[in-house]
Amino acid sequence: MARQTVPVPEAVLAREIFGPLGAVVEIGAVSATGTWSVGTASVGELVHRRRGEVDRLLELVRGVGGFSSSTMAIADELGCLREHEVTAPSLLLWSGAIEGIPSRLDELERPDVVRRMCHMAADLQLTYFLQALVTAAVAAETEVRQGAGRITEALAIAAGLAPGRGLVGVAPGVRGADAQVEGDGRHGCEESDGE
């Protein structure tokens, strides 16, 4: 008996991409405050300031997954690229609860805690984003070289939106599959307390 393959609906694949992308944008908004303050983070301002990069990123996502306009509209429906409140509990979620769950949630808003959560969350959510892009490319049967180039560029743009630590080999400005990695892979991460 031949093995049947059931296609994954493109809306499901897109949501798997937009989830971590929304987290990356929130992390970038917090990082952009310069003070690691959750209360002053503005997703709308970050998206407005980086509009060209965000538009290019969405174009790449569309190309990788071969997504329709209605599927791409899911990003708007989710609101991940519009102004919304960024909370310390959401950073805790995006970071895989690296800080644990304190008895008092206001402890999560301390700048040193927010910074650590953002660093871990950036790495973790960018990994999920990469996995979702690869899955979408495979499901869409995207040509390998073209898909790899788009995925590489998309990951580089996303990494530039949410500076983090540890993503060696992905640097802002990387374009295409044949691009050379520059810098130390730290994406502008500022270490303020010797970590």
Side-chain angles (χ1 to χ4, degrees), residues 7 10 48 64 177:
E10 71 175 40
H48 176 74
V64 165

Side-chain angles (χ1 to χ4, degrees), residues 152-166:
T152 301
E153 186 178 351
L155 185 60
I157 293 170
L161 292 174
R165 297 189 317 190

Side-chain angles (χ1 to χ4, degrees), residues 18 35 46 89 136 155 158 175 179 186:
F18 296 140
T35 62
L46 176 73
L155 185 60
R175 301 285 182 213
R186 294 183 61 186

Side-chain angles (χ1 to χ4, degrees), residues 10 27 32 44 46 67 70 81 99 104 107 113 116 127 139 166 171 173:
E10 71 175 40
I27 296 158
L46 176 73
F67 296 143
S70 62
L81 301 176
E99 287 295 318
R104 292 184 23 210
E107 292 176 20
V113 173
R116 283 194 305 271
T127 301

Side-chain angles (χ1 to χ4, degrees), residues 24-193:
V24 165
V25 172
E26 284 190 5
I27 296 158
V30 173
S31 178
T33 67
T35 62
W36 301 105
S37 170
V38 176
T40 60
S42 174
V43 169
E45 183 180 318
L46 176 73
V47 171
H48 176 74
R49 201 171 60 247
R50 311 282 293 272
R51 183 85 258 173
E53 292 166 275
V54 170
D55 288 346
R56 176 64 181 152
L57 183 54
L58 292 174
E59 178 184 322
L60 291 162
V61 166
R62 182 181 199 141
V64 165
F67 296 143
S68 67
S69 295
S70 62
T71 297
M72 291 302 294
I74 291 171
D76 287 331
E77 292 168 17
L78 294 174
C80 59
L81 301 176
R82 288 193 309 256
E83 185 61 47
H84 62 274
E85 182 182 14
V86 179
T87 65
S90 69
L91 293 177
L92 181 67
L93 175 67
W94 302 142
S95 69
I98 190 169
E99 287 295 318
I101 301 173
S103 58
R104 292 184 23 210
L105 287 180
D106 63 332
E107 292 176 20
L108 288 175
E109 294 187 13
R110 289 190 352 236
D112 61 318
V113 173
V114 170
R115 182 181 48 78
R116 283 194 305 271
M117 286 192 298
C118 283
H119 288 167
M120 182 61 198
D123 288 353
L124 187 59
Q125 296 305 316
L126 287 166
T127 301
Y128 292 150
F129 180 67
L130 173 60
Q131 178 182 359
L133 287 172
V134 170
T135 300
V138 169
E141 298 180 355
T142 303
E143 191 275 323
V144 174
R145 287 188 189 271
Q146 185 180 37
R150 287 177 178 161
I151 290 169
T152 301
E153 186 178 351
L155 185 60
I157 293 170
L161 292 174
R165 297 189 317 190
L167 288 165
V168 177
V170 179
V174 172
R175 301 285 182 213
D178 298 325
Q180 296 295 313
V181 175
E182 298 174 11
D184 64 2
R186 294 183 61 186
H187 316 296
C189 173
E190 306 232 355
E191 297 298 335
S192 60
D193 64 357

